[in-house]
Amino acid sequence: MLQLNIITKKYKDKTALDQVSLEMNSGIYGLLGPNGAGKSTLMNIITGNLMPTSGTVCWNGEDIRSLGASYRSLLGYAPQQQGLYEHFSGVRFLSYMATLKGIPKKRQSEEIERVLSFVNLTDVKKRAVGTWSGGMKQRLLIAQAILGDPKCIVLDEPTAGLDPKERVRVRESIRALAGDRILLVSTHVVSDIESVAKEILLLKSGRLADRGTVEALCEKYNTSGGLEEVYLKVFGEEKSIRGENTCFV
């Protein structure tokens, strides 16, 4: 179980997160919010890349600051398409990431084959990543995130810029990861999370504006238009969330 207890994050005179408290158990959580809502800050605090100004993040009741490396071993993180060494082959990139994660050499080969098979990239594993499509690169980022079988996985805009076919492939990969893991998925494409999320988290101006299942939120906001209409009711006159060129942080 992952718990955020009254998390506040300030940058000088700006408050990026304002007393955010939530609890997540196994399942897929969709994180939605407009530009500047604090989504990236929240994800970075959960992954330990940022420290909150106040409040605590706990894993199974223990502060992650005291857990240290043992907490990091439970984590998987897939950023937007960045940090890929495009002259590396897929296998070499995953081997590099496995080493960084502390996976023993004797286990790496089997583990790399497992994650490549999961994201359906086995056939191209020896090709330079720079020759891959955007969707293949995104699936590679998911593959490195699940190295070591982490219990908490954070995916930042996993379908950004992908064509519809690749978006479906990535969405099905996310669905298949569910089970006894926590998956937090930040996205601006509502349709990519609406059908797979256990719960939706709506973040507005650094505060958790609402949360619930898609069905419960639609009922609460009295809409038959699905999650997109809920989004528009919560966030008002923000940009459309259907367009492929929209990007929220």
Side-chain angles (χ1 to χ4, degrees), residues 57-124:
V57 179
C58 295
W59 178 262
N60 289 337
E62 294 189 61
D63 192 325
I64 65 170
R65 289 173 292 189
S66 64
L67 291 173
S70 64
Y71 175 67
R72 291 191 293 274
S73 71
L74 297 169
L75 285 172
Y77 176 53
Q80 294 188 55
Q81 288 187 26
Q82 56 186 353
L84 290 172
Y85 299 97
E86 299 211 339
H87 60 288
F88 278 18
S89 68
V91 168
R92 186 180 176 191
F93 174 75
L94 290 173
S95 178
Y96 172 69
M97 295 304 297
T99 299
L100 290 180
K101 288 190 172 191
I103 298 173
K105 284 285 186 183
K106 63 182 180 180
R107 284 186 49 214
Q108 285 186 15
S109 180
E110 180 180 353
E111 183 65 3
I112 288 169
E113 289 301 318
R114 180 186 72 84
V115 299
L116 282 168
S117 176
F118 179 80
V119 296
N120 195 27
L121 289 174
T122 302
D123 291 346
V124 297

Side-chain angles (χ1 to χ4, degrees), residues 108-237:
Q108 285 186 15
S109 180
E110 180 180 353
E111 183 65 3
I112 288 169
E113 289 301 318
R114 180 186 72 84
V115 299
L116 282 168
S117 176
F118 179 80
V119 296
N120 195 27
L121 289 174
T122 302
D123 291 346
V124 297
K125 65 183 181 181
K126 295 184 178 179
R127 282 174 43 189
V129 172
T131 68
W132 292 12
S133 69
M136 292 161 67
K137 291 176 181 177
Q138 197 62 52
R139 282 184 276 147
L140 181 63
L141 286 172
I142 293 174
Q144 64 79 27
I146 64 175
L147 281 168
D149 196 26
K151 297 304 179 184
C152 180
I153 300 174
V154 178
L155 306 178
D156 186 5
E157 301 286 357
T159 63
L162 303 186
D163 63 41
K165 186 176 181 180
E166 284 288 5
R167 280 171 48 203
V168 170
R169 285 178 176 171
V170 170
R171 183 173 68 230
E172 291 309 306
S173 294
I174 293 170
R175 189 196 301 271
L177 283 170
D180 62 350
R181 298 182 181 88
I182 296 170
L183 278 87
L184 179 63
V185 184
S186 172
T187 182
H188 70 277
V189 184
V190 168
S191 60
D192 286 343
I193 199 66
E194 186 168 16
S195 63
V196 299
K198 166 184 176 178
E199 194 168 348
I200 302 296
L201 310 174
L202 299 169
L203 197 64
K204 181 177 183 179
S205 300
R207 286 180 171 270
L208 191 61
D210 214 337
R211 65 179 297 182
T213 65
V214 173
E215 294 78 8
L217 290 171
C218 288
E219 182 177 353
K220 179 176 180 178
Y221 291 95
N222 191 28
T223 174
S224 59
L227 188 56
E228 179 174 345
E229 193 168 329
V230 170
Y231 185 105
L232 293 174
K233 286 191 174 185
V234 172
F235 300 112
E237 298 301 318

Side-chain angles (χ1 to χ4, degrees), residues 3-65:
Q3 294 171 299
L4 277 66
N5 303 309
I6 320 177
I7 295 293
T8 295
K9 181 63 178 178
K10 295 184 177 181
Y11 298 96
K12 294 184 179 179
D13 60 346
K14 180 181 178 182
T15 300
L17 292 175
D18 188 4
Q19 300 186 44
V20 174
S21 294
L22 62 92
E23 182 179 296
M24 289 182 282
N25 295 293
S26 58
I28 301 172
Y29 294 79
L31 179 62
L32 300 178
N35 190 37
K39 300 195 304 299
S40 292
T41 300
L42 181 65
M43 288 185 290
N44 277 300
I45 287 174
I46 288 172
T47 56
N49 293 320
L50 275 178
M51 293 297 293
T53 303
S54 63
T56 58
V57 179
C58 295
W59 178 262
N60 289 337
E62 294 189 61
D63 192 325
I64 65 170
R65 289 173 292 189

